[in-house]
Amino acid sequence: MSAQWIDGKKISGEIREEIKQEVARLKERGIRPGLAVVLVGDDPASQVYVRNKARTCEELGFYSEVHRLPAETSQAELLELVARLNGQDNVHGILVQLPLPKHIEEKAVIDAIAVEKDVDGFHPVSVGNMVIGDDALLPCTPAGVIELLKRSGLSAAGKHAVVIGRSNIVGKPVSLLLQREHATVTMCHSRTPNLPELARQADIIVAAVGVPKLVKADWVKPGAVVIDVGVNRLPDGKLCGDVDFDEVAKVAGWITPVPGGVGPMTITMLMKNTLKAALAKADQA
Ligand code: NAP
């Protein structure tokens, strides 16, 4: 038996259609969701991410502005720009592309973004609201994982989820969101001694590690759902996830491919957050 693929491209496309419809409705009220993206320096991967975000804004009818700042920009200059964007009415979401150059303290910049415009969901207040279950702009990749499950008809309620990885941007928030969906969650990391054994007990495995093909077929319970967040570049230039896809697909019930699984969801959830921020502001007015 072979696992069913969870098609992130298709699901992401469906959500984008829904967003477009909502944008059209907002247009009638004279509102256009707006996203400001800030890039400091010339990291090639970041440049690609920023370009894709701007392109997606255009595709969905959002207003967007991209601020490309030189690598030597000071922290004070960056904070000044963030303060300006915080006060700008046509900008509902602010994304400062990470990583920042070493002389800039990332935390100071994230903390400076107005919580209601924190579409990355990294501000400590957004994180706190997520932890206590209040309304919050959720971090995009973890929110994308939950959306993939829901839209594939895979309920997490009462299931045992094993999350491998505990980073602030993926592992920790995805664990919290799965718990919110009523899963029983085991969080694993590099010091977890019996990882294969724990993984074998899972109904849902989420791998967010950054180690190519770490999760093997004999780590997976037959029929389990396997969500692969990992994006790793192999020596031959090909992309692969944290899951040994070809082998695991023979055992799992459902699996996300890399590329084409979690990846396409991240920008889509960013757009959804920006739309949500715009709607919240419109409802306040
Ligand atoms: P990260 O900050 O490096 O965190 C990796 C986590 O994996 C850490 O908690 C680490 O444990 C754990 N880990 C490392 N080696 C391990 C091992 N051998 N066994 C068990 N746990 C291990 O990475 P991240 O930012 O969360 O990203 C994880 C992966 O997701 C990367 O491949 C990244 O490229 C990808 N990613 C994809 C998207 C997307 O949009 N698709 C978005 C973000 C990230 P310790 O805490 O003990 O060090």
Side-chain angles (χ1 to χ4, degrees):
M1 213 187 76
S2 182
Q4 293 198 53
W5 285 33
I6 298 176
D7 187 342
K9 255 189 172 164
K10 181 166 162 275
I11 293 173
S12 165
E14 287 164 11
I15 299 171
R16 287 183 187 203
E17 278 312 309
E18 293 165 13
I19 294 175
K20 272 189 200 167
Q21 288 169 17
E22 194 62 52
V23 170
R25 277 194 287 274
L26 274 176
K27 198 175 172 189
E28 287 168 12
R29 295 166 64 188
I31 299 155
R32 190 177 182 204
L35 175 69
V37 181
V38 181
L39 173 63
V40 185
D42 45 18
D43 176 66
S46 293
Q47 281 179 346
V48 173
Y49 298 145
V50 166
R51 216 177 305 134
N52 286 343
K53 283 164 189 165
R55 198 179 298 144
T56 310
C57 279
E58 201 174 318
E59 180 196 319
L60 300 185
F62 285 31
Y63 166 74
S64 80
E65 51 183 60
V66 178
H67 297 264
R68 291 188 173 80
L69 308 178
E72 55 280 8
T73 301
S74 71
Q75 182 166 315
E77 284 168 320
L78 180 56
L79 290 175
E80 208 175 298
L81 172 61
V82 169
R84 181 149 56 82
L85 295 170
N86 281 342
Q88 221 171 288
D89 278 342
N90 59 347
V91 167
H92 304 98
I94 301 170
L95 183 139
V96 178
Q97 187 67 48
L98 302 177
L100 289 167
K102 291 214 164 21
H103 64 279
I104 299 179
E105 194 201 339
E106 276 181 6
K107 182 173 161 45
V109 177
I110 292 168
D111 288 2
I113 296 171
V115 177
E116 66 276 13
K117 298 191 179 189
D118 173 36
V119 285
D120 243 348
F122 294 161
H123 191 286
V125 172
S126 307
V127 176
N129 282 333
M130 176 182 64
V131 172
I132 60 177
D134 271 5
D135 189 38
L137 292 167
L138 299 175
C140 302
T141 303
V145 168
I146 301 297
E147 205 63 31
L148 283 179
L149 291 174
K150 284 188 174 169
R151 289 180 184 250
S152 305
L154 299 166
S155 168
K159 300 285 162 51
H160 180 201
V162 169
V163 177
I164 312 174
R166 56 172 166 181
S167 72
N168 286 335
I169 63 164
V170 192
K172 255 183 231 170
V174 98
S175 300
L176 283 160
L177 295 179
L178 283 164
Q179 197 182 71
R180 198 195 264 196
E181 296 299 321
H182 312 294
T184 301
V185 182
T186 302
M187 281 177 79
C188 304
H189 45 78
S190 67
R191 310 280 184 95
T192 303
N194 48 348
L195 190 49
E197 197 185 308
L198 285 170
R200 265 193 298 276
Q201 295 169 26
D203 304 303
I204 301 170
I205 296 177
V206 179
V209 190
V211 176
K213 302 186 184 183
L214 177 76
V215 177
K216 308 290 182 213
D218 63 358
W219 293 30
V220 177
K221 182 166 77 176
V225 178
V226 179
I227 307 286
D228 191 353
V229 182
V231 181
N232 308 292
R233 182 82 55 194
L234 294 172
D236 64 5
K238 283 191 186 148
L239 282 187
C240 90
D242 293 340
V243 173
D244 188 352
F245 183 87
D246 292 341
E247 294 305 313
V248 170
K250 293 176 188 163
V251 182
W254 296 76
I255 192 165
T256 57
V258 176
V262 175
M265 296 297 285
T266 300
I267 293 189
T268 299
M269 298 315 283
L270 172 71
M271 298 298 138
K272 215 174 163 188
N273 270 350
T274 306
L275 175 66
K276 183 178 172 180
L279 281 167
K281 181 154 186 257
D283 291 342
Q284 261 174 17

